[in-house]
Amino acid sequence: MEQKFETTVLHGTKKNQGNIKSKTMPIYQTSAFSFGGLEELEGYYHGEGNYLYSRVGNPNTDELGTAVAVLEGAPVGVAASSGLSAILAGILAVAKSGDHIVAAADVYGGSYFMLESELRDLGVETTFVPFGDLGNVEKAIRPNTKLLYTESITNPFLRVENIEGVVAIAKEHGLYTMVDNTFATPYHCKPFLTGVDLVAHSATKYIGGHSDVTAGVIVGEESLMAKVRSRVVNMGSNLSPFEAWLACRGLKTLALRMKAQSGNACKLAEALRENEGVEEVYYPFGEVGADAGDGARDCGGYGAVVTIRLAGAVNVDRFFSSLQWVKIVPTLAGVETSVSHPLTTSHRALPKEAQEALGITNAVVRISVGIEDSGDIVRVFESAIRAGL
Ligand SMILES: *Cc1c(COP(=O)(O)O)cnc(C)c1O
């Protein structure tokens, strides 16, 4: 039966728990599982239910992986200990020493350093190019290129990727594609349905949604995900049952949160566009939100991150210290509105030229919009800007 996102997010992944029918999923806080005899043990290896060892599989981590896969429209999902370990498992499923990756120049800082230092040391080379002009991607492809890597909405300037265009280039050259869908979430965008091979999430962000868990998820089709799962299991990148349970608990309200947070973000972006203390507002008005599964949706917004460039007249330090109840934290996606300063946190370690090329200056402020009253959110920022003027 056809279901809406809001229903599937709650009921799409019912797990059979045998005779005990608890309303919510219990936490299987166990490192291993027992067997009634050798026949039952043998049955495990033939796929007859049960679990063996929590690093290899656990009902809570399976619940998270499956839930995100269902929401993304993909057959299989695997949870990992963090967004970065999910991304690493995905990359190592398609690239090995001697292979080459073309990645977007504006990918998340942690992903940039994973590719640029760890994977380069392991013999996997990456060329970073601006994906805003896909001609750059074509030019960077080499005979040993295996993967095109990008994000559906980038950080901190909220560039919306042309995923269809990236997939078309990959198809033409026989390459894999991987998209980090952390900022958009499947509520706004489902890259797998556009033909992307692997879709990764930092579940630390909107999937969990409450800033109380570090987790990752990656989804894709069965045979490729078998490789990804093998990487997660054999590299020991598994998620703990409790963290998975927390992420699943948060996930139940993804639709409500995204609707409220995106709507508030839209209103804040509109208000700040009119503010004399703001030189520029970065927000993908109208660019995302068309849902490949359900058709266009009136989501009241296009993601919940708004980035601003303060005008030269605003004292940036005074702005940050005048934000009242808005915390300065180097993360995003919690239910509380928070701000971060990309120059001194997420993009701190980039070479100065790279910071300049990306436009990351002292005046750039990334706002993760929460579920508070939209009027209160607008007022707190207007007042901090006034204090800085
Ligand atoms: C936070 C983040 C990551 C990394 O996730 P962790 O859970 O911190 O490992 C990757 N991509 C994006 C877009 C992020 O925001």
Side-chain angles (χ1 to χ4, degrees):
M1 208 167 55
E2 190 81 355
Q3 271 181 347
K4 291 286 187 199
F5 189 96
E6 285 75 1
T7 310
T8 309
V9 73
L10 289 170
H11 302 294
T13 58
K14 275 251 171 345
K15 264 265 170 207
N16 179 11
Q17 294 164 33
N19 293 328
I20 303 172
K21 295 179 178 159
S22 60
K23 181 166 189 286
T24 63
M25 182 75 156
I27 309 173
Y28 288 85
Q29 191 66 34
T30 178
S31 61
F33 300 82
S34 63
F35 294 85
L38 290 185
E39 201 177 319
E40 201 183 319
L41 181 61
E42 196 56 28
Y44 164 81
Y45 289 97
H46 294 100
E48 292 167 11
N50 205 0
Y51 287 87
L52 181 76
Y53 188 63
S54 278
R55 175 165 54 73
V56 179
N58 173 286
N60 297 108
T61 57
D62 275 2
E63 186 192 22
L64 178 62
T66 306
V68 175
V70 167
L71 297 176
E72 289 279 5
V76 179
V78 170
S81 59
S82 66
L84 278 191
S85 61
I87 294 166
L88 178 63
I91 290 173
L92 291 181
V94 300
K96 60 182 185 320
S97 179
D99 289 342
H100 175 250
I101 296 169
V102 181
D106 49 1
V107 291
Y108 174 75
S111 310
Y112 173 84
F113 284 109
M114 179 206 290
L115 289 161
E116 193 53 23
S117 74
E118 318 310 327
L119 283 165
R120 191 175 292 278
D121 283 355
L122 292 173
V124 179
E125 201 185 334
T126 302
T127 304
F128 294 91
V129 295
F131 273 39
D133 173 0
L134 288 177
N136 293 322
V137 179
E138 290 267 14
K139 276 186 226 128
I141 293 170
R142 303 177 190 168
N144 61 339
T145 303
K146 286 284 165 9
L147 173 70
L148 303 183
Y149 181 82
T150 188
E151 299 171 358
S152 46
I153 304 180
T154 67
N155 172 32
F157 294 120
L158 297 314
R159 184 178 66 80
V160 175
E161 190 60 270
N162 172 2
I163 295 176
E164 289 86 352
V166 174
V167 168
I169 294 174
K171 290 237 159 85
E172 194 189 318
H173 295 267
L175 309 175
Y176 287 106
T177 47
M178 181 162 164
V179 168
D180 178 336
N181 199 28
T182 299
F183 271 49
T185 83
Y187 183 78
H188 288 304
C189 170
K190 297 177 183 177
F192 183 81
L193 298 183
T194 314
V196 170
D197 297 301
L198 293 169
V199 179
H201 279 275
S202 170
T204 312
K205 313 294 166 52
Y206 292 106
I207 301 290
H210 294 74
S211 316
D212 53 10
V213 60
T214 298
V217 181
I218 176 162
V219 309
E221 57 82 20
E222 245 159 80
S223 61
L224 189 51
M225 284 308 297
K227 261 192 150 170
V228 174
R229 188 188 294 276
S230 152
R231 300 291 186 260
V232 169
V233 168
N234 296 319
M235 298 192 306
S237 310
N238 55 294
L239 183 63
S240 84
F242 181 59
E243 308 288 292
W245 182 87
L246 270 179
C248 287
R249 181 186 154 114
L251 182 61
K252 292 178 186 181
T253 54
L254 178 68
L256 281 177
R257 286 185 284 109
M258 285 316 282
K259 190 172 181 176
Q261 291 176 255
S262 292
N264 284 349
C266 210
K267 285 181 192 150
L268 178 66
E270 263 163 11
L272 293 183
R273 279 213 290 199
E274 309 298 318
N275 194 301
E276 54 164 341
V278 178
E279 187 182 305
E280 198 159 354
V281 172
Y282 302 89
Y283 188 69
F285 288 103
E287 289 183 63
V288 283
D291 180 313
D294 310 340
R297 87 172 60 241
D298 178 20
C299 61
Y302 305 95
V305 178
V306 178
T307 296
I308 57 172
R309 188 182 299 279
L310 292 167
V314 178
N315 180 306
V316 177
D317 287 327
R318 220 160 44 230
F319 165 82
F320 271 98
S321 54
S322 307
L323 281 166
Q324 302 168 38
W325 46 264
V326 177
K327 285 202 177 86
I328 305 167
V329 285
T331 187
L332 64 127
V335 287
E336 304 93 350
T337 297
S338 65
V339 292
S340 79
H341 189 230
L343 183 71
T344 54
T345 53
S346 53
H347 295 69
R348 183 186 190 99
L350 286 186
K352 207 163 175 44
E353 312 79 68
Q355 290 171 342
E356 273 165 18
L358 292 173
I360 311 276
T361 64
N362 190 44
V364 172
V365 181
R366 190 188 71 197
I367 306 166
S368 169
V369 181
I371 60 171
E372 300 92 346
D373 174 76
S374 62
D376 286 337
I377 297 172
V378 170
R379 275 188 291 278
V380 82
F381 281 97
E382 285 177 345
S383 140
I385 291 165
R386 259 197 317 277
L389 273 171

